[in-house]
Amino acid sequence: MLEASPLVDGWILRHEGEALAASVPGCVHTDLLAAGVIPDPFVGRGEREVAWVGRREWTYERELPGVPSGHEQTDLVFDGLDTAAEILLDGRLLGSVRNMHRSYRFDVTGASGRLTVRFASAYAEAEAVRGRLGERPAAYAEPYQYLRKMACSFGWDWGPTLVTAGIWRPVRLERWSTARIARVRPLVTVEQGAGVVELRVEVERTRVEAGLTVTARVGGAKAHARVEGTSAVVRLEVPGARLWWPRGYGGQPLYDVELTLDQEGEALDSWRRRIGFRTVGLDRRPDAHGTGFTLVVNGERLFARGVNWIPDDAFPSRMTRERYRERLRQAAGAGVDLVRVWGGGIYESEDFYDACDELGLLVWQDFPFACAAYPEEQPLRGEVEAEARENVVRLMPHPSLVLWNGNNENLWGFRDWGWEGRLAGDSWGEGYYLGVLPRVVAESDPTRPYTAGSPWSGSWAHHPNDPAHGTHHSWEVWNRRDYAEYRAEVPRFVAEFGWQAPPAYATLRRALPGEELAADSPGMLHRQKADDGDGKLARGLARHFAAPEGDFDRWHYLTQVNQARAVAAGIEHWRSHWPVCAGTVVWQLNDCWPVTSWAAIDGDGREKPLYHELRRLYADRLLTLQVRGEGLVSAAVNQSAEPWTGVLRLRRMTVDGEVLGTADVQLAAGARAVGVARVPAELEPTGAKEFLVADAEELRALYFPLPDRDIPYPAPEFEVSVAPGSVTVTALTLVRDLLLQADRLGPDARADRGLVTLLPGERVTIGVTGWETPDADAARAALYCLEPSR
């Protein structure tokens, strides 16, 4: 039977003649940090102090133990090397590698001695390739498009420039005889009520002998097949298999698949995975509105409630199974049912996809290409196809994976960012997105759809970012306009949009110790990576609120309010136009370090107000008030399986609490549908002091006709009481966008809700965890709300 021995201990990292203890898996930065050689790049402006690390060559070493007899072959297996490296054993070159996204296997049968992994600087490798293949344009000046490495290692508009190197995934020795399982492609389908698994198996052999057999088991079914040459196909049917569904649509039953390879009854190797039975498709048919983009799972058409996922740590080797699960549980807790793994990062570990399988989170997987023209010549072309084939097969078992996507914004960039003229006919990646990658997916994983890019209209017949065709990235609003303009169009699928805000206060205090915080203090400026990001934040804020001059706490609160308001403006509008619009994917769920960004969860894992707002926006039932045509409508968005009927109570009010008029309107929305009703004209608010309240069951929608800066809010008055695990606020006036910043009570404190608006006399109880000594004065000091414009 194949035996595997992890090579975890005994590694050293060579640094200026010294041998430092090294962690494997790991990276140079984390080893240097552990040894006290470099400061924490996440604290202060430490990022700048460690820039030299990415420019150096680095060497990892350990003894490779002698291999006991009893097996015919011994392989040295690296699951991931970052990125350009030579592997040597006692000075003999085993091989050279240049792709972070691949695994590698070397025959070391009968060998032992000093194992050396010598990493070149990623900059040196990238610049050498650029010198051979020529310059290619990109969104950033760093040379990330010239090697197969996590692009955001080189910095992004939310990420630090920390160019890593190291053995970032596990390494082991595998000892085996006769044959081993080299690859398994599980094609999982549903046919006439039965779950069907077809396992396409490839084996590696030390010698050609007859009698190799594969046996597969799943869900009580069992089947055998003989290995012919180096391949076999075994098919199993599971009658009555329960379907795997995305969260909110059904359960997530998972089935264990076990495959064994044996010779005349002797087990040689085994392969185990979990699968789920479901069908998935992508409806891209043209219609009266353009070209659709609707995910279909088990025949059910979905409005995708999505978030974009970036690497959760700038040093991905630090990610653990527990941390993946924590972050993805947060996503599910916000009502998310789709996570897009963005193309400037990595193919994530099995832990990520396992958690998505269990939580019912659909996965949209980008191939790792982002915001650049990528050369298509060697040595990159062969690496791209090899990594695609490996990772498509690796991730195939996961039922959560429903879409392969060729790239992020490169087709758009070619058309709109001045690339075409600069390239002058040079290759730029089109051959990957419209040739290599769809071919690999069709050959290896025909059970899932592929799309060439995001955004992408489906063909060059339409602009790549045409909102009427395919996927759309809505960035003009953040870059140049007011977020109210999200309501100006109804894209078919919004794959990226978002608004910035700083991280939680406690996160800033940890990351910037001793700094007097201000919007433009040195540490805050260092944590604004977006082009004119602070200018866009300020202009976006000024359209709605009076500027909080010199008051960091108010600025911090208002920018977080504005982020939640902006995202709400888009999602409420687009969800209310289902099925024309079939999904929103917020940029972004998470951060990889403490930074001002578009994230809903900051770099320390703390939830911004946007996170809690997503819980409302992505709930199965959403109530919203929208301007359509000449008046107001209420939209009841119902993504549940049951019809939603009832009475919608409307109240026209003043900010001083006076009720000017009321009406009851019948609410009716079918299952997975939207019900729209006209608001009576006499209830539409006029002037700065009026607003409209809509209540149905436990849901509420508000409509204010003017920006907050023009509304004469009363001075907020409220009472506060505390109890173990809760803070209760009773409003004596209108209290707009009340927020308990729980992390100001203590760095471990968390609140169970975000922004809430209370009418006079209303009360809210906010659950708080991690706060050991409840105190009413401390709670009041941590409460923020809108105040009259000064």
Side-chain angles (χ1 to χ4, degrees), residues 159 238 244 275 372 377 436 509 709:
V238 182
W244 184 97
I275 62 168
E377 294 79 16
V436 173
R509 283 270 59 105
R709 65 185 184 188

Side-chain angles (χ1 to χ4, degrees), residues 68-288:
S69 59
H71 291 87
E72 295 175 345
Q73 183 156 327
T74 301
D75 292 337
L76 174 64
V77 183
F78 293 93
D79 286 339
L81 292 166
D82 176 18
T83 291
E86 293 180 336
I87 299 90
L88 303 100
L89 186 57
D90 270 353
R92 176 174 64 89
L93 181 66
L94 297 178
S96 299
V97 303
R98 54 174 11 114
N99 192 327
M100 180 181 183
H101 306 301
R102 292 180 60 186
S103 64
Y104 298 95
R105 179 178 293 267
F106 303 100
D107 184 350
V108 292
T109 304
S112 62
R114 196 68 173 169
L115 176 61
T116 302
V117 184
R118 185 182 300 148
F119 289 94
S121 160
Y123 279 109
E125 169 72 11
E127 288 158 2
V129 172
R130 177 168 57 189
R132 293 199 299 272
L133 303 184
E135 191 75 32
R136 299 296 196 283
Y140 304 100
E142 300 277 319
Y144 57 91
Q145 71 270 47
Y146 300 102
L147 77 170
R148 301 306 300 150
K149 176 177 172 58
M150 184 173 86
C152 62
S153 287
F154 291 90
W156 221 259
D157 56 7
W158 38 257
T161 302
L162 295 167
V163 180
T164 53
I167 305 171
W168 78 288
R169 280 182 166 162
V171 56
R172 62 191 174 276
L173 288 174
E174 288 188 357
R175 299 185 289 273
W176 55 280
S177 298
T178 306
R180 69 174 187 89
I181 297 171
R183 191 168 79 151
V184 180
R185 289 195 298 121
L187 302 177
V188 182
T189 58
V190 179
E191 299 177 9
Q192 298 178 343
V196 178
V197 188
E198 184 176 282
L199 300 168
R200 301 189 176 186
V201 186
E202 297 178 17
V203 302
E204 180 183 359
R205 311 173 71 143
T206 59
R207 56 184 185 272
V208 178
E209 291 184 2
L212 292 183
T213 304
V214 291
T215 302
R217 297 173 178 84
V218 58
K222 180 179 179 181
H224 308 272
R226 291 184 62 83
V227 177
E228 303 294 341
T230 59
S231 63
V233 178
V234 57
R235 177 184 169 94
L236 301 96
E237 291 190 11
V238 182
R242 294 176 298 148
L243 294 180
W244 184 97
W245 288 93
R247 60 170 304 279
Y249 289 82
Q252 291 79 45
L254 297 169
Y255 291 78
D256 292 318
V257 179
E258 181 175 355
L259 180 76
T260 57
L261 171 67
D262 55 277
Q263 182 187 39
E264 298 177 356
E266 179 186 359
L268 302 176
D269 198 0
S270 63
W271 178 93
R272 296 175 180 85
R273 297 291 188 276
R274 290 187 310 172
I275 62 168
F277 293 104
R278 54 102 184 96
T279 62
V280 60
L282 185 60
D283 187 351
R284 291 184 271 201
R285 291 175 295 179
D287 56 27

Side-chain angles (χ1 to χ4, degrees), residues 31-45:
D31 288 333
L32 295 175
L33 184 60
V37 174
I38 61 171
D40 188 339
F42 289 9
V43 174
R45 284 172 282 174

